[in-house]
Amino acid sequence: MTMHIFANIVTDYGTAANNRGETEGNTTTLQKLIWKGAVHTTVSAEAIRFETRKHLASMESGGTNRTWNEDTRTNDWQKPGFDGWAKENGDTFIDDDLLGYMSAEAAKEEGQAGSAKVRRAVLEVTRAVSLTPWPGDTTFNAASPGATPSAAKKGNNPVPYGAEIHATRYQYGIAMTPDRLRQSDRAAKALQAIANLRTVAGNHGRFLFDFSPAAIVFRVTEDPAPRLLYCFGTPDAGHTLSADELVRRVKSGDINASELIVGGELATTDSGKALAELGADVKDGIKAATQAVCDRIAKVSA
């Protein structure tokens, strides 16, 4: 049978703002969506994958195939042709293995077909959604004259600008089937990278939003469906967490409690205590829970 690894993650409470450079007039805007009938802010899976790749690069002696260059503000490539994948035992990079790739070329002459090298991501990531609705908070700011080369090019007046912000937590999920990896030990490295995410929902590098998990629920199972995505809720506007729907699914028999490893803030809540009583492995810390999943992967792969 095939082993699948799923997880649902919720961050600490923090102040999120635009991290992608979009503006409306002189106001930086947050990405939003309607979630269960209310406006929530959201962070793309691509932003989470970008930060994950940076951690993967630091975990491999050979680095990643694609690396963000802060000096040139572009990506540097080691093997843009993905040559290693043409051979069964060819050398491959951890980011290509986990996050996939696509390289498409148009036909060189009319009437000929184009070509594409494509690998689907093994580590799948959902869009992150704020745990609480966005109340519309916007701050007013003013850059002092000459604060940047582009600010107040004429005169001595401050340059006003606005920023949409959201004090909240974000939750998102991942899915991964280690058997699909060229090297199965990369699954554990992916989980360690996710457990240590940082700058995902900050603002242009000006301030930090800690995107590491405050609570996490892993599921190691032969069931191909996650059945736990977006399972976190909050009874008090994000101050504390709950996972009532997850408890219900365990009680219903849709999820076997022995497949669950829970870590972080949820451990001391009523939901965490209920999951422990039902047979889940509940740990106080994120690192301990992540290591427990890595140990299960190693045991199955041995």
Side-chain angles (χ1 to χ4, degrees):
M1 299 294 288
T2 301
M3 175 180 66
H4 307 281
I5 300 168
F6 305 111
N8 194 56
I9 298 155
V10 66
T11 71
D12 275 305
Y13 196 89
T15 307
N18 181 311
N19 70 339
R20 60 201 167 88
E22 295 293 325
T23 62
E24 288 183 6
N26 63 348
T27 301
T28 59
T29 56
L30 287 160
Q31 288 185 303
K32 310 174 194 72
L33 80 167
I34 302 299
W35 183 260
K36 299 180 180 179
V39 177
H40 285 63
T41 57
T42 178
V43 176
S44 69
E46 287 82 358
I48 300 168
R49 286 162 51 92
F50 181 88
E51 183 68 12
T52 302
R53 192 188 303 271
K54 289 169 62 178
H55 283 280
L56 294 175
S58 67
M59 301 168 74
E60 292 281 277
S61 58
T64 49
N65 193 8
R66 196 179 88 185
T67 306
W68 178 250
N69 187 320
E70 291 287 355
D71 294 327
T72 62
R73 307 294 292 170
T74 60
N75 286 296
D76 295 333
W77 287 86
Q78 296 197 61
K79 300 287 185 181
F82 308 104
D83 303 331
W85 294 94
K87 303 175 183 177
E88 184 176 351
N89 297 318
D91 292 333
T92 58
F93 291 92
I94 188 171
D95 55 333
D96 296 338
D97 207 359
L98 284 162
L99 303 175
Y101 58 80
M102 186 182 79
S103 176
E105 290 190 10
K108 296 179 180 176
E109 295 183 13
E110 186 174 352
Q112 292 183 342
S115 63
K117 296 179 180 178
V118 180
R119 174 174 171 75
R120 182 184 172 87
V122 175
L123 176 62
E124 298 174 298
V125 183
T126 72
R127 178 172 283 275
V129 180
S130 63
L131 198 62
T132 55
W134 182 59
D137 287 342
T138 304
T139 61
F140 172 80
N141 312 277
S144 56
T148 68
S150 59
K153 292 180 179 178
K154 295 182 180 179
N156 294 316
N157 295 321
V159 180
Y161 65 95
E164 293 181 349
I165 60 173
H166 193 184
T168 190
R169 301 171 184 256
Y170 286 96
Q171 69 167 322
Y172 65 99
I174 63 169
M176 180 167 52
T177 304
D179 283 353
R180 291 182 52 219
L181 292 167
R182 180 66 68 90
Q183 296 181 23
S184 60
D185 65 333
R186 289 168 171 168
K189 294 177 180 178
L191 298 182
Q192 294 291 353
I194 292 291
N196 291 288
L197 288 180
R198 198 175 71 163
T199 52
V200 174
N203 181 293
H204 304 299
R206 293 171 184 162
F207 65 83
L208 171 69
F209 186 103
D210 182 0
F211 221 75
S212 64
I216 191 166
V217 177
F218 291 105
R219 185 182 183 211
V220 183
T221 179
E222 295 175 351
D223 185 349
R227 306 187 198 283
L228 50 60
L229 298 180
Y230 300 110
C231 67
F232 290 118
T234 176
D236 48 14
H239 182 64
T240 60
L241 301 173
S242 63
D244 296 341
E245 175 59 19
L246 180 62
V247 173
R248 188 197 69 77
R249 290 201 172 198
V250 172
K251 288 182 177 178
S252 73
D254 286 343
I255 295 176
N256 187 330
S258 65
E259 299 171 343
L260 298 178
I261 299 174
V262 180
E265 282 186 32
L266 196 68
T268 57
T269 66
D270 291 342
S271 296
K273 293 173 183 176
L275 291 170
E277 291 175 357
L278 289 167
D281 184 1
V282 179
K283 300 181 181 302
D284 291 336
I286 299 297
K287 293 182 178 180
T290 304
Q291 187 58 52
V293 178
C294 293
D295 292 343
R296 286 197 189 187
I297 295 173
K299 186 176 180 180
V300 172
S301 303

